[in-house]
Amino acid sequence: QVQLVESGGGLVQAGGSLRLSCVASGRTISSYNMGWFRQAPGKDREFVAAFSRSSGNTYYSDSVKGRFTISRDNAKNTVYLQMNSLKPEDTAVYYCAADRVVTTTTRYNYWGQGTQVTVSS
């Protein structure tokens, strides 16, 4: 079983940047597909970005493609989400997730507690 802890959220102006971190413990992240999701108030949780453990491919939602980058540091057992050119509509709680099978759906087995990102206009 893997435990996930996110950090790096905060308040930023539109056009700014943030980098979220997700530190894993209990298992190495190389054993899992790793994903980032977000949930805004009153909305369903949605896929943001993911990293496939088998292919090494990365996946992004259309709404963040070209602005966000997912990466990982196996030595630190950490996954990152670099967010640039932030928009007010990016405001949400951001969650890190791990699973051995799924990649872009919300059916991940393991989730962090989330970190709040607020983008002001």
Side-chain angles (χ1 to χ4, degrees):
Q1 188 166 342
V2 61
Q3 293 80 42
L4 305 170
V5 178
E6 304 97 331
S7 62
L11 174 64
V12 64
Q13 289 188 330
S17 298
L18 282 174
R19 189 178 78 158
L20 306 184
S21 300
C22 171
V23 179
S25 60
R27 292 286 190 271
T28 61
I29 59 172
S30 59
S31 300
Y32 295 91
N33 300 325
M34 300 298 299
W36 285 97
F37 294 78
R38 67 187 182 187
Q39 188 166 19
K43 295 188 177 181
D44 293 335
R45 191 169 298 187
E46 66 173 3
F47 167 73
V48 175
F51 193 101
S52 169
R53 67 182 178 100
S54 58
S55 67
N57 291 338
T58 55
Y59 304 90
Y60 298 93
S61 68
D62 288 342
S63 60
V64 307
K65 198 172 296 182
R67 300 188 297 123
F68 291 11
T69 303
I70 187 172
S71 62
R72 68 182 185 186
D73 185 334
N74 287 342
K76 295 182 178 180
N77 221 28
T78 299
V79 178
Y80 302 99
L81 184 69
Q82 178 66 44
M83 306 186 295
N84 298 328
S85 302
L86 282 162
K87 305 175 181 180
E89 51 263 43
D90 294 319
T91 295
V93 177
Y94 283 71
Y95 298 90
C96 175
D99 195 273
R100 295 186 186 275
V101 178
V102 301
T103 308
T104 60
T105 74
T106 58
R107 298 180 68 179
Y108 276 63
N109 265 322
Y110 304 104
W111 294 86
Q113 83 288 350
T115 185
Q116 176 71 47
V117 171
T118 303
V119 184
S120 64
S121 58

